[in-house]
């Protein structure tokens, strides 16, 4: 059983922090503690602290954790009650894949925008295929 705190203040969604991250992940039903909430406040804060310079990387870390944690959940039917637990896991997986691509593109775009890695000569350059001996 998970121990920790489960809080959410919708008024703080505009500030970067735990509440905003909960909002973006859709993990806001904190009334039932671990029965209704996927992440503890401490887990969210640890991801934010680990990736303090990149909100998207912190979110990616949490989405990866959610995907791993809930990948084994199955849909359940008990009488008239049906719980589609795989739908929730699927949404987090899709968010994870989309954000992973976005973060990867952003980390490459800095190098592409500069045209090279600082301190190294460019790999491709104008005239690189010209044969100087053929002239």
């Amino acid at each position: 059983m998970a121990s920790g705190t489960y809080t959410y203040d919708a008024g703080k969604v505009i500030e970067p922090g735990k509440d905003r991250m909960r909002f973006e992940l859709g993990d806001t039903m904190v009334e039932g503690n671990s029965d209704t909430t996927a992440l503890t406040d401490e887990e969210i804060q640890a991801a934010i602290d680990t990736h303090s310079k990149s909100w998207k990387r912190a979110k990616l870390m949490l989405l990866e954790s959610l995907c791993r944690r809930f990948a084994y959940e199955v849909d359940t039917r008990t009488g008239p009650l049906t719980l589609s637990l795989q739908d929730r896991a699927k949404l987090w997986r899709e968010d994870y894949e989309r954000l992973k691509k976005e973060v990867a593109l952003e980390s490459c775009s800095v190098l592409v925008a500069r045209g090279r890695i600082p301190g190294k000569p460019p790999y491709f350059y104008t005239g690189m295929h010209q044969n100087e001996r053929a002239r």
Side-chain angles (χ1 to χ4, degrees):
M1 179 177 230
S3 64
T5 54
Y6 303 88
T7 60
Y8 174 67
D9 183 352
K12 293 185 179 179
V13 169
I14 59 171
E15 305 168 14
K18 169 196 63 69
D19 297 298
R20 180 174 175 179
M21 188 65 80
R22 266 201 199 286
F23 175 77
E24 289 186 15
L25 294 171
D27 190 29
T28 59
M29 293 178 34
V30 296
E31 298 80 16
N33 294 325
S34 63
D35 291 335
T36 58
T37 312
L39 296 166
T40 65
D41 292 351
E42 292 80 8
E43 289 170 315
I44 294 172
Q45 194 58 53
I48 293 170
D49 293 344
T50 299
H51 297 288
S52 60
K53 295 181 181 174
S54 175
W55 181 263
K56 289 181 181 180
R57 287 189 183 274
K59 187 175 177 180
L60 188 65
M61 179 181 177
L62 292 168
L63 282 168
E64 182 177 6
S65 173
L66 289 169
C67 288
R68 291 179 189 278
R69 191 177 311 174
F70 295 105
Y72 64 89
E73 286 190 343
V74 295
D75 294 344
T76 305
R77 172 174 274 173
T78 305
L81 176 66
T82 301
L83 298 173
S84 299
L85 301 176
Q86 278 296 309
D87 289 346
R88 179 172 68 165
K90 182 182 175 191
L91 281 174
W92 279 326
R93 170 62 65 188
E94 290 169 357
D95 286 347
Y96 171 77
E97 294 298 333
R98 188 173 27 256
L99 187 59
K100 184 177 176 182
K101 287 178 186 175
E102 189 177 322
V103 167
L105 284 174
E106 284 179 1
S107 44
C108 292
S109 66
V110 173
L111 300 178
V112 171
R114 292 183 185 148
R116 64 182 185 91
I117 298 173
K120 290 189 176 187
Y123 187 80
F124 297 106
Y125 55 90
T126 303
M128 68 183 282
H129 292 293
Q130 293 174 351
N131 186 347
E132 297 297 325
R133 290 186 232 150
R135 292 182 182 189

